[in-house]
Amino acid sequence: MEGLIKGLVDVALGVNDDDRDQSHEEQRSRSSWAEVVSGDRSQHDKPHEEERWQEESHSYRASIRPHKEQYRPQHKEGQSESFNTLNRPHKLDEDEDKDEWQTVGRPSRKNQKVPKENWHSYKLPPSEQEYSNEVEVGAGVEPSQDELADLSRACDKLWDLDLNRLIPGKDYEIDCGEGKKVYQKEDMAEGSLFTWVSDDVFRKPTFARFLSLLDNYNPHQGCKEVVTSEERQEQASFIEEISRTAPIKYLHKYLASKGIASESYQDFKRMMTSLWFDLYGRGGTSGSSSAFEHVFVGELKQSGEVSGFHNWLQFYLEEEKGRVDYQGYIFPRQRGQTPDSETQLLTIQFEWNGVLKSVSSTLVGVSPEFEIALYTLCFYVGGEDNHIQFGPYAVNIKCYRFGNRIGSIFPIADS
């Protein structure tokens, strides 16, 4: 009887399963992620000042620096709203969208532009799409018995199969600036994180299709997303493009061998589209978020916090537009591991639209297909903590679930 009464009350109040699951997640307390990342707890880090992990938002409860304007969204559900404190729309302006180039100038590389001449074609029907050729890898995408038995070995194989991974110094350059503790709020970076990125990077098919998705989302958490038919086609085009690469082919073989995915590649692609792009509730509103939006694009909570936002391409573009202010890297847990221009796993601090994210982590220079494959594999095969090794990096892929959906997933540098 109690359950029946509760159900009737939920219906009357408009509470759905997503909101109920989310409320349950909000009640779970967690220890400070700062200790996990930096391995250090300073005397300045008093209990009442701790920045504690919020599983619902998957971000730190970070203070807003007083000299920055605090993010305070003013909107009603369903209304058009501004993207950030700079009063820029979250979609490209109509005139800007007609151009073949998007200007994203920065002091060190004035008038740098990101090629987007093919982006409009990604909205076309499937019969009018042009995709790159299937990668020729042969037996290289067949997982071995050792890899099927060991998630870390499988992730290392994905690293080797990432043929589109960029080379530091050749395809891009970063300047890590100075280091800091998580609790320190001073800006320790004189300039931007990215010094430059080659234009050729944005012409790579999987990169270009990934970039075309980034302006499809309203970043205000709790605002219902409206997905157009053209945007759904962009999603399908992206999944089709990455499905022609070695990491995704390997992922399919691996999941099919485990009985997790269908042997049919078409069914597998539909599964991937659903996993990453299906909408669910976050911030009290159903249909307001997705795995792709949270992990790769980022969201802004009404309380003034950055949530998600773990992709380097999104970071670069937002930095070029003046929406991201890089604040410096977080000191590693072990000495001798100070990041430099060659490092491709970074733990950093930054502001997005004037909102401080005290600690965040990202893989730099990896391809979109690698990240999608890595996170999908860990979600289906791993647990909340996935201690793995790929290339030179010992990593914990942290994975939080909303039922059978990805709530958040991101890398943390292991000691």
Side-chain angles (χ1 to χ4, degrees):
M1 178 63 70
E2 181 180 350
L4 176 60
I5 295 174
K6 184 177 185 301
L8 292 174
V9 171
D10 285 348
V11 171
L13 297 177
V15 177
N16 57 30
D17 290 338
D18 287 332
D19 297 330
R20 192 180 298 111
D21 291 343
Q22 183 175 323
S23 176
H24 174 71
E25 297 295 343
E26 286 176 338
Q27 295 173 9
R28 295 178 60 191
S29 61
R30 294 197 169 278
S31 61
S32 172
W33 187 38
E35 295 177 57
V36 177
V37 174
S38 63
D40 174 79
R41 180 166 184 153
S42 167
Q43 61 181 352
H44 299 287
D45 203 13
K46 299 176 182 178
H48 68 279
E49 295 175 339
E50 285 182 357
E51 297 171 313
R52 305 188 75 79
W53 173 263
Q54 304 297 311
E55 184 165 351
E56 181 274 324
S57 67
H58 317 294
S59 65
Y60 271 107
R61 184 171 298 280
S63 60
I64 310 301
R65 297 202 302 172
H67 69 281
K68 293 285 187 180
E69 181 181 358
Q70 183 170 351
Y71 163 71
R72 297 186 183 279
Q74 301 292 330
H75 62 271
K76 295 181 180 179
E77 185 177 320
Q79 287 186 341
S80 175
E81 56 191 301
S82 59
F83 184 100
N84 55 28
T85 56
L86 300 177
N87 199 33
R88 291 181 58 102
H90 82 281
K91 297 279 188 178
L92 292 174
D93 292 335
E94 184 176 353
D95 291 338
E96 183 183 8
D97 197 37
K98 292 178 181 177
D99 298 334
E100 292 185 354
W101 297 84
Q102 179 182 355
T103 302
V104 289
R106 57 174 290 122
S108 61
R109 280 169 58 89
K110 290 187 181 298
N111 299 320
Q112 184 177 354
K113 300 174 181 180
V114 176
K116 48 178 285 187
E117 60 266 23
N118 293 325
W119 290 10
H120 67 280
S121 67
Y122 303 156
K123 298 178 181 292
L124 296 175
S127 61
E128 300 179 40
Q129 293 284 325
E130 294 183 6
Y131 297 102
S132 56
N133 296 328
E134 299 274 352
V135 66
E136 297 290 341
V137 290
V141 298
E142 292 286 349
S144 68
Q145 289 302 313
D146 286 343
E147 291 159 4
L148 288 171
D150 187 338
L151 178 61
S152 183
R153 288 178 181 269
C155 292
D156 193 41
K157 181 63 171 290
L158 284 175
W159 178 266
D160 292 338
L161 290 174
D162 188 13
L163 307 179
N164 278 329
R165 186 171 63 250
L166 306 184
I167 301 174
K170 176 180 179 292
D171 298 310
Y172 71 92
E173 184 176 79
I174 60 173
D175 181 357
C176 295
E178 299 298 325
K180 64 197 311 186
K181 299 288 187 181
V182 171
Y183 60 81
Q184 294 177 309
K185 303 300 185 283
E186 307 95 298
D187 190 341
M188 302 299 291
E190 294 183 1
S192 301
L193 173 61
F194 286 91
T195 304
W196 56 267
V197 177
S198 170
D199 287 347
D200 291 338
V201 169
F202 305 107
R203 292 190 175 93
K204 290 176 176 285
T206 59
F207 285 68
R209 290 186 186 270
F210 178 88
L211 293 168
S212 74
L213 295 167
L214 298 179
D215 68 344
N216 289 349
Y217 297 95
N218 187 319
H220 300 304
Q221 194 176 103
C223 286
K224 204 174 189 70
E225 292 288 349
V226 177
V227 184
T228 67
S229 59
E230 289 83 4
E231 289 172 349
R232 291 190 188 281
Q233 181 53 51
E234 279 186 327
Q235 296 170 3
S237 298
F238 171 69
I239 294 297
E240 177 61 36
E241 191 70 64
I242 65 173
S243 294
R244 295 165 179 262
T245 66
I248 302 299
K249 287 181 178 294
Y250 177 84
L251 172 68
H252 173 242
K253 295 285 188 181
Y254 196 101
L255 296 181
S257 296
K258 295 274 190 180
I260 297 170
S262 168
E263 294 284 350
S264 165
Y265 209 39
Q266 292 304 316
D267 289 344
F268 167 72
K269 286 185 280 190
R270 282 189 284 269
M271 182 185 84
M272 293 287 287
T273 302
S274 175
L275 175 67
W276 284 101
F277 295 108
D278 278 2
L279 297 176
Y280 55 77
R282 196 191 296 270
T285 305
S286 62
S288 61
S289 185
S290 68
F292 186 90
E293 177 183 8
H294 180 86
V295 174
F296 297 120
V297 182
E299 297 175 287
L300 293 165
K301 296 183 66 180
Q302 293 187 28
S303 57
E305 299 170 56
V306 176
S307 181
F309 197 144
H310 296 285
N311 178 258
W312 75 270
L313 282 164
Q314 168 72 343
F315 190 99
Y316 169 75
L317 291 183
E318 291 296 282
E319 191 174 56
E320 289 296 315
K321 295 171 186 173
R323 296 171 181 166
V324 161
D325 179 14
Y326 174 61
Q327 304 279 304
Y329 67 86
I330 301 301
F331 284 127
R333 300 181 66 182
Q334 290 186 343
R335 294 184 179 181
Q337 295 181 347
T338 303
D340 56 28
S341 61
E342 301 289 316
T343 303
Q344 293 190 280
L345 173 60
L346 290 177
T347 304
I348 60 178
Q349 187 176 106
F350 64 91
E351 285 184 353
W352 185 35
N353 301 299
V355 182
L356 180 67
K357 186 159 190 182
S358 294
V359 62
S360 187
S361 52
T362 186
L363 294 164
V364 181
V366 298
S367 70
E369 59 265 30
F370 171 77
E371 284 197 276
I372 290 285
L374 174 69
Y375 296 153
T376 302
L377 184 62
C378 289
F379 173 75
Y380 280 121
V381 179
E384 181 175 307
D385 290 288
N386 303 282
H387 298 277
I388 61 174
Q389 175 89 29
F390 52 74
Y393 302 109
V395 185
N396 178 16
I397 302 297
K398 199 76 174 178
C399 179
Y400 291 99
R401 290 169 167 79
F402 278 173
N404 62 348
R405 305 180 181 98
I406 295 174
S408 188
I409 191 165
F410 52 89
I412 302 175
D414 258 349
S415 56

